[in-house]
Amino acid sequence: MKEQRQHHPPSWAQRFVAWYCKPGLVEDLMGDLNECFERNVHSIGPRRAKLIYIIDAFKFFRSYTVRRPIFVNPFMKQIMIGSYVKTSGRNIMRNKVFSFINILGLAISMCVGLLLIAFLLDLRSYDRFHKNGDRIYRITNIMSSNNEQSGKFASTSIKTGKLIREKVTGIEAVTTMRNNFSGDAKVGDNILPIKGYWAEPSLFRVFTFPMAEGNPETALKDPYSVVLTETAARKLFGNQPALGKAIQIDTLTYQVTGIIKDVPFFSHISFEALVSLSTVEQANKSDRTFGAWTNMWSNSVYLLPTEHADMASIQSQLNAIAREENQAEENTKIQLELLPLYNIVVGESLRQSEGGPGFMGPHMPPVVLWILGGLAFVVILSACFNYTNLSIARAMRRIKEVGLRKTIGAGKGQVRLQFLAESVIISLAALLLSFLLFLLLRPLLINMAPEMQRLVKLDLTPIMIAAFIVFAVAVGVIAGFVPAIFFSKVKPIHALGNLSSVKMFKHLSLRRALVVIQYTITLIFITTTAIGYVQYKNILTFDLGFSTANILNINTQDNKPDVLLKELGELPEVTALSRSLITTGVGNAWGSTMKYKDSRDSVLVMTNHVDENYLPLHDYKLVAGGNFIARPTTAQATGEVIVNEQVLKRFNIGTGNPGKAIGEQIIMNGRKMTIVGVMKDFHYGTVENLIGPVAFTFWTPEDRAIISAKIQSADMPATLAKIESIWKKIDRVHPLEAAFYDQAIEDAYSEFSTMIKIIGFLSFLAISIASMGLFGMVVFTTETRLKEIGIRKVMGASIGNLIYLLSRGFLFLLSVSALIALPATYFFFKTIVLPNFPYHTSMQIPELFIGLLAVLLIALIMIGSQTLKAARNNPVTVLKRE
Amino acid sequence: MKGTNLGEFEELVLLTIAALGNEAYSVAICDELSDHTGRLVKLGVVHAVLNRLEEKGLVKSELGEATKARGGKRKRFYELTMQGKTALVNAKAMRDQLWARIPPLAWKKI
């Protein structure tokens, strides 16, 4: 029986041997094992034979039989990388022009990436210092009402905070903060303007603001308690201990109950002082609207749920609160929502309450980041294209090298790795250069706009440096990807045989496509900049309907303007002075309701309170009636109003004859007023806004005053210094707030100019990168065609012929890009951007073509100089080399 | 490289290969050694030695015909190389020389 049965050695042991054994040894080794097994089956039985087989299978596991373990393979590659680095280094050194172009191009484009990375990392680091940061939420109010005030607000009511504390379960701490506590803190003779928030003791349970002195549990409990930051305390008290001391803020006395460490830069809440919320609550005890559900304009509520709290349950409890409170409201419905702390700075744009900032700290909508990221990506991709392009352009030369490697035995993977290593080395070299550029550009970026200074620091951190290196490697891999694939596919026979037999068509078209894409991007960038710049300049020089030249606007900041006015009037450089409530034309607004005969037709008109000198100083054109007359404030004086033509049109006063409107009665904010003058229409808001109805009334001493001074001076700095010294006499505490009207208008469009600067910078980069790429290509093509050129010259071709021959291909590519880019930009602006600006000037042909001309000029100079060099070559020297 | 001196077991294996002639493959070598030395020779050890000898260039091997008894696997036949033969001859000559140097008296003391 036994003899007839076929016995097999245990299959797992067989597989084990096959697994570990070297391929060359496995056959005879297993044969031996099998032979012994057969023999043993007969002599000592199958069971023991199997056992012996297993034992032997393990015994053969020896150093010489075992194949190289798998982990050795990557390890070997590591060793190989050393050789890749060496070969790459040689290649880089051998092709200095190409390496230089590649490194410089990558470096220039990479600095955009570095800036963006630094920017993103800075934004990401906001509010991370709070110990329970991942658990903190802010309440968002979603308001829907009959009037315009609806939307998502970052602020909420004080009542919300109270209700959450009373009713919601699963909460560890809730804290309410009230916006914009500010005033002049006074200690003895020392006066310091101070800014902060009203806050509750629970603030220190929700947030991590470590207290240096004082008890966080009680510091913000009693009314008239103030907690100062260390810096504020030092400024006020010097080196004296501040705790327990009294500070005079405006007219009230506060007790210093705590000193906290300065607020970190990356905090969306930033302050110098915190005053107990109970202070305001006490002051507004009798005001029933103060704690109302709908009074949601200036408070923020933060909550810290317990660990592993059920957020869905908290949300539904919030919904229940909102439902109950909304029942009592007729017109207004409010929903409560939770916003995680980390989504405050980079996240959805929430509305701020009008008439006062109901919003804390810096904010960056993700869409801006996406746009910036997209632009940076385009620029970096362009540099990667350069690399790809130039590498493949050099294919003819390197194809032989690759062929040889392959013949010797290099696999596809090794060739691929070699080329990737080369591009990564180049991009790492570019990183060094680009890091220098980064350091150079960093201050420019930060100082580009005041918002930027408040938003980011761009200081180096270890994470940032690591991100830079990862980024450089990624760029290297992207840049080297196509060349690596391309060269790994080279067949040694083709490469080492007749080079002309290698089909170059496929990648030729790829190269062409890359050049076209690059130039299209460049042209779009440049035309965008040109159009944007023309529009911007147009806005700045826009005829607002009044004169702004040489006018200095001085904010009197709660000081009575009379003394200042008198002192300024004595300066010989000041030719005229006026007072007004606000500065118009820069986006400021002050509204009133106006009614004419039909008392139901109430219209919002923009207003300003001006004195009798305001209109002549600003050169407002009157079409009918006259200016205000200088006289003491009386009921009659404040009953006069000067309106613009829009008002007449709106109410149909005078039907086309402004003169008839003089003496007409209107009702403004419930008061009867008489029209004494009619102005020509002018821009009250910024140029983006349409011209609407405006009414000027007489300035009264109760109003805040902006003093406008018309200055005629040859030495402006000296004049400004004089004004400054006058200001110092009147207000020692607050620095002079004065700006020229033109400057104020420029500031009003700073967002716009920042955008133009960024796009301009990127387009400059795009031009440089594309130009460098083109330069490399031209150098390469002319070099490879030197012999052809020589022969043509011998045959009698003129230099002009040759230049035409060499540059026509490139010119064709440039024209293709122009044909794509110009219409694309044109339609983009025509249909999307410009319709958003009612007073834009129409696009002009020069704006569209100036970029094209610039790019063409640069390209032609490069192509021309190189082809000329090639064409001038003596054919004898070129042809002799054969 | 490894020393060219033959180890004792290596020498035995080499001799066995030479003795077996065309039939010198691992199992046969193993059996032959067991028969003639009287010690239990393990297949694994023989394999290791064959491998080492091949590395030293004293033997060369090639795969033969497949046989059914081995589950369709071919045998690896070993053969002495010129160096292997020289090494054996040298070893023998060295021993003979040493034998010749033993004075007859030396035996008496045992």
Side-chain angles (χ1 to χ4, degrees):
Chain A
M1 274 295 278
K2 268 184 184 174
E3 271 75 18
Q4 281 157 9
R5 272 244 316 267
Q6 275 285 342
H7 291 286
H8 293 288
S11 57
W12 64 267
Q14 281 182 308
R15 274 200 307 261
F16 174 63
V17 175
W19 172 73
Y20 72 71
C21 196
K22 268 185 200 161
L25 286 177
V26 69
E27 184 166 5
D28 70 304
L29 213 149
M30 282 184 77
D32 286 355
L33 285 171
N34 289 347
E35 193 180 333
C36 290
F37 176 77
E38 286 292 313
R39 207 200 283 172
N40 287 342
V41 167
H42 291 288
S43 59
I44 49 177
R47 191 173 295 170
R48 286 189 63 191
K50 275 186 188 174
L51 191 69
I52 290 174
Y53 189 99
I54 292 167
I55 292 169
D56 279 347
F58 278 96
K59 274 194 176 164
F60 276 118
F61 190 90
R62 281 159 188 262
S63 64
Y64 72 96
T65 55
V66 177
R67 72 164 87 198
R68 248 190 232 128
I70 298 96
F71 71 83
V72 172
N73 283 345
F75 183 64
M76 283 309 286
K77 275 187 187 159
Q78 296 277 322
I79 298 168
M80 286 300 285
I81 279 181
S83 109
Y84 293 153
V85 170
K86 204 186 282 174
T87 347
S88 306
R90 285 182 194 147
N91 264 316
I92 292 166
M93 292 315 284
R94 196 179 308 141
N95 301 295
K96 288 206 179 65
V97 177
F98 295 105
S99 311
F100 177 73
I101 290 171
N102 278 331
I103 291 178
L104 197 67
L106 281 178
I108 288 175
S109 65
M110 269 162 68
C111 73
V112 182
L114 297 192
L115 287 171
L116 192 74
I117 289 172
F119 193 68
L120 290 178
L121 285 178
D122 264 14
L123 287 183
R124 217 199 72 90
S125 54
Y126 264 96
D127 295 321
R128 303 276 154 166
F129 61 92
H130 296 296
K131 219 166 52 201
N132 298 318
D134 53 340
R135 274 199 281 149
I136 300 173
Y137 293 83
R138 187 174 70 188
I139 297 286
T140 302
N141 254 29
I142 306 165
M143 187 193 202
S144 48
S145 76
N146 301 341
N147 66 33
E148 287 172 31
Q149 302 258 27
S150 40
K152 284 190 174 185
F153 285 83
S155 54
T156 189
S157 60
I158 287 182
K159 191 167 190 182
T160 306
K162 290 216 164 93
L163 288 171
I164 291 174
R165 191 167 290 151
E166 284 163 19
K167 295 187 175 172
V168 179
T169 56
I171 305 279
E172 198 176 306
V174 193
T175 194
T176 306
M177 291 177 86
R178 191 172 170 80
N179 287 339
N180 290 6
F181 157 81
S182 76
D184 292 338
K186 211 163 119 192
V187 175
D189 289 338
N190 208 352
I191 300 175
L192 180 79
I194 207 165
K195 275 189 176 144
Y197 298 99
W198 279 280
E200 295 177 308
S202 54
L203 174 101
F204 297 112
R205 286 204 288 279
V206 176
F207 296 113
T208 311
F209 289 120
M211 206 165 239
E213 292 172 56
N215 180 0
E217 291 297 319
T218 56
L220 289 170
K221 209 168 159 198
D222 300 324
Y224 304 105
S225 311
V226 62
V227 170
L228 297 171
T229 61
E230 284 180 333
T231 307
R234 201 166 25 228
K235 275 187 195 159
L236 273 171
F237 293 94
N239 292 324
Q240 309 284 317
L243 195 70
K245 293 271 172 65
I247 320 179
Q248 187 93 7
I249 299 177
D250 295 331
T251 56
L252 298 165
T253 309
Y254 294 79
Q255 208 71 30
V256 179
T257 51
I259 309 288
I260 60 170
K261 296 244 156 47
D262 284 345
V263 180
F265 180 86
F266 291 114
S267 170
H268 84 280
I269 307 171
S270 109
F271 53 83
E272 294 167 302
L274 293 171
V275 179
S276 50
L277 187 72
S278 49
T279 317
V280 232
E281 279 175 326
Q282 205 181 45
N284 290 285
K285 227 172 211 167
S286 53
D287 185 359
R288 275 172 49 234
T289 58
F290 177 76
W293 169 245
T294 49
N295 188 358
M296 43 161 277
W297 311 112
S298 15
N299 321 292
S300 309
V301 169
Y302 294 85
L303 33 124
L304 178 69
T306 49
E307 253 170 284
H308 314 298
D310 179 8
M311 293 317 290
S313 140
I314 291 176
Q315 181 61 56
S316 67
Q317 293 180 66
L318 290 178
N319 292 346
I321 289 176
R323 222 174 8 250
E324 202 184 307
E325 291 299 320
N326 282 337
Q327 277 174 357
E329 300 297 329
E330 262 180 39
N331 301 322
T332 311
K333 299 282 174 253
I334 293 172
Q335 296 297 317
L336 303 179
E337 215 173 61
L338 292 164
L339 179 69
L341 177 71
Y342 295 157
N343 295 359
I344 289 177
V345 173
V346 180
E348 196 185 349
S349 299
L350 298 174
R351 284 189 65 178
Q352 309 172 25
S353 54
E354 332 257 322
F359 190 82
M360 292 178 180
H363 176 253
M364 178 60 67
V367 65
V368 174
L369 296 180
W370 282 112
I371 291 172
L372 284 178
L375 293 178
F377 180 72
V378 164
V379 169
I380 292 163
L381 209 61
S382 179
C384 290
F385 280 178
N386 262 1
Y387 185 87
T388 304
N389 236 339
L390 289 178
S391 302
I392 294 180
R394 281 184 302 161
M396 285 291 202
R397 293 179 181 184
R398 297 210 59 182
I399 240 167
K400 237 177 195 152
E401 171 201 330
V402 174
L404 200 64
R405 284 182 89 96
K406 280 203 154 177
T407 326
I408 292 168
K412 262 190 178 184
Q414 280 165 316
V415 173
R416 230 176 275 152
L417 217 61
Q418 163 74 58
F419 277 88
L420 281 182
E422 204 171 305
S423 62
V424 169
I425 288 169
I426 286 201
S427 78
L428 285 175
L431 177 65
L432 290 180
L433 206 62
S434 131
F435 184 68
L436 294 179
L437 281 174
F438 168 78
L439 295 180
L440 214 73
L441 288 170
R442 188 170 58 177
L444 294 181
L445 181 74
I446 294 178
N447 294 328
M448 198 155 62
E451 298 86 43
M452 208 63 119
Q453 286 171 357
R454 255 171 277 138
L455 193 64
V456 291
K457 285 201 294 195
L458 305 183
D459 279 348
L460 285 177
T461 59
I463 297 174
M464 205 178 270
I465 289 172
F468 285 177
I469 292 170
V470 169
F471 169 70
V473 171
V475 167
V477 169
I478 293 171
F481 184 72
V482 175
I485 297 290
F486 171 76
F487 283 109
S488 72
K489 282 189 183 151
V490 164
K491 291 207 175 65
I493 300 172
H494 289 218
L496 297 177
N498 189 1
L499 261 187
S500 58
S501 70
V502 184
K503 288 263 185 294
M504 300 291 271
F505 269 123
K506 257 194 202 153
H507 53 264
L508 254 182
S509 56
L510 173 72
R511 266 170 53 197
R512 282 192 184 139
L514 291 184
V515 170
V516 169
I517 293 172
Q518 227 177 7
Y519 269 84
T520 308
I521 293 167
T522 309
L523 286 172
I524 289 177
F525 266 133
I526 290 180
T527 38
T528 304
T529 318
I531 294 173
Y533 186 74
V534 169
Q535 296 292 336
Y536 175 63
K537 276 286 154 203
N538 169 51
I539 286 174
L540 291 190
T541 56
F542 197 81
D543 182 13
L544 292 170
F546 57 91
S547 161
T548 58
N550 297 325
I551 294 173
L552 186 72
N553 291 324
I554 303 165
N555 185 358
T556 54
Q557 311 178 50
D558 299 331
N559 293 298
K560 292 277 167 235
D562 311 348
V563 188
L564 187 62
L565 212 60
K566 189 170 155 284
E567 295 254 355
L568 285 173
E570 283 163 10
L571 283 180
E573 292 93 342
V574 175
T575 56
L577 283 163
S578 77
R579 290 162 293 183
S580 64
L581 180 68
I582 59 168
T583 309
T584 60
V586 295
N588 295 332
W590 203 272
S592 304
T593 51
M594 187 187 270
K595 288 179 189 174
Y596 187 44
K597 285 169 181 160
D598 181 358
S599 59
R600 274 167 306 170
D601 189 11
S602 145
V603 170
L604 180 76
V605 295
M606 293 302 151
T607 53
N608 194 1
H609 303 179
V610 303
D611 70 4
E612 68 281 1
N613 299 318
Y614 189 81
L615 294 189
L617 189 142
H618 290 89
D619 212 5
Y620 282 91
K621 309 275 185 308
L622 284 168
V623 289
N627 190 8
F628 296 118
I629 305 158
R631 58 186 158 195
T633 312
T634 58
Q636 198 197 357
T638 52
E640 289 177 347
V641 62
I642 299 176
V643 299
N644 70 350
E645 292 167 309
Q646 288 287 325
V647 174
L648 304 192
K649 214 192 252 167
R650 179 67 187 74
F651 291 104
N652 209 8
I653 306 173
T655 50
N657 182 1
K660 281 189 187 164
I662 306 300
E664 286 292 317
Q665 300 276 321
I666 50 152
I667 297 161
M668 249 176 100
N669 289 346
R671 286 188 54 210
K672 258 201 175 135
M673 311 277 260
T674 314
I675 297 174
V676 296
V678 179
M679 295 176 282
K680 249 180 94 103
D681 282 341
F682 66 95
H683 284 270
Y684 179 90
T686 52
V687 178
E688 292 108 285
N689 310 325
L690 290 165
I691 291 176
V694 179
F696 283 178
T697 55
F698 202 64
W699 185 85
T700 61
E702 292 84 56
D703 287 330
R704 195 172 70 114
I706 303 285
I707 292 184
S708 304
K710 191 136 192 153
I711 294 173
Q712 209 79 50
S713 166
D715 186 3
M716 211 46 109
T719 313
L720 287 180
K722 275 188 212 170
I723 293 173
E724 182 124 33
S725 68
I726 292 174
W727 174 262
K728 284 247 171 69
K729 275 193 268 177
I730 292 158
D731 191 333
R732 285 191 302 122
V733 180
H734 303 96
L736 173 69
E737 272 179 39
F740 278 100
Y741 216 136
D742 296 339
Q743 188 60 46
I745 289 173
E746 254 184 76
D747 288 347
Y749 299 98
S750 75
E751 239 171 71
F752 196 64
S753 70
T754 304
M755 209 163 72
I756 292 174
K757 277 181 201 161
I758 289 177
I759 296 177
F761 174 65
L762 288 177
S763 69
F764 169 72
L765 293 190
I767 290 192
S768 346
I769 293 162
S771 306
M772 275 190 287
L774 188 67
F775 181 75
M777 297 279 282
V778 174
V779 169
F780 175 79
T781 342
T782 48
E783 249 177 45
T784 45
R785 293 177 80 176
L786 269 184
K787 216 165 273 169
E788 180 197 336
I789 295 166
I791 293 171
R792 280 180 193 272
K793 266 184 105 170
V794 172
M795 305 298 265
S798 72
I799 285 185
N801 282 342
L802 289 174
I803 288 177
Y804 170 70
L805 177 85
L806 288 168
S807 53
R808 120 191 115 170
F810 291 113
L811 291 184
F812 173 71
L813 295 184
L814 289 187
S815 349
V816 173
S817 341
L819 280 180
I820 301 171
L822 294 189
T825 328
Y826 182 79
F827 283 110
F828 175 66
F829 272 90
K830 181 104 187 155
T831 58
I832 297 174
V833 181
L834 291 183
N836 287 322
F837 295 92
Y839 293 99
H840 65 262
T841 48
S842 57
M843 262 182 295
Q844 304 293 321
I845 299 294
E847 296 156 40
L848 274 174
F849 281 87
I850 201 154
L852 178 65
L853 278 178
V855 175
L856 265 185
L857 201 70
I858 295 170
L860 281 180
I861 289 172
M862 279 185 319
I863 297 171
S865 66
Q866 286 307 306
T867 49
L868 201 65
K869 201 174 128 197
R872 280 226 185 108
N873 252 323
N874 188 349
V876 178
T877 49
V878 179
L879 295 174
K880 206 167 59 182
R881 277 188 217 149
E882 193 68 340
Chain B
M1 292 309 259
K2 284 171 188 162
T4 43
N5 274 343
L6 279 180
E8 185 256 355
F9 194 68
E10 287 177 350
E11 193 179 340
L12 287 181
V13 173
L14 272 184
L15 283 169
T16 316
I17 293 171
L20 285 172
N22 286 340
E23 283 304 312
Y25 77 99
S26 48
V27 180
I29 295 168
C30 196
D31 290 349
E32 186 81 5
L33 275 171
S34 300
D35 288 352
H36 289 276
T37 60
R39 51 183 174 183
L40 191 66
V41 179
K42 288 280 193 327
L43 192 56
V45 181
V46 173
H47 257 281
V49 172
L50 285 171
N51 186 64
R52 199 154 65 233
L53 288 174
E54 196 163 16
E55 269 180 18
K56 286 183 180 179
L58 300 179
V59 299
K60 59 185 177 187
S61 68
E62 63 189 37
L63 290 169
E65 294 293 309
T67 50
K68 216 185 162 202
R70 293 168 61 86
K73 302 285 194 290
R74 288 176 293 174
K75 291 173 184 172
R76 183 175 290 277
F77 288 105
Y78 289 87
E79 198 186 328
L80 295 190
T81 60
M82 203 54 221
Q83 273 171 290
K85 287 172 188 163
T86 321
L88 270 184
V89 172
N90 283 347
K92 183 169 188 303
M94 187 184 70
R95 282 167 200 242
D96 288 346
Q97 269 178 24
L98 287 169
W99 273 108
R101 282 179 58 83
I102 301 170
L105 271 176
W107 296 105
K108 287 182 183 161
K109 284 195 177 169
I110 299 170

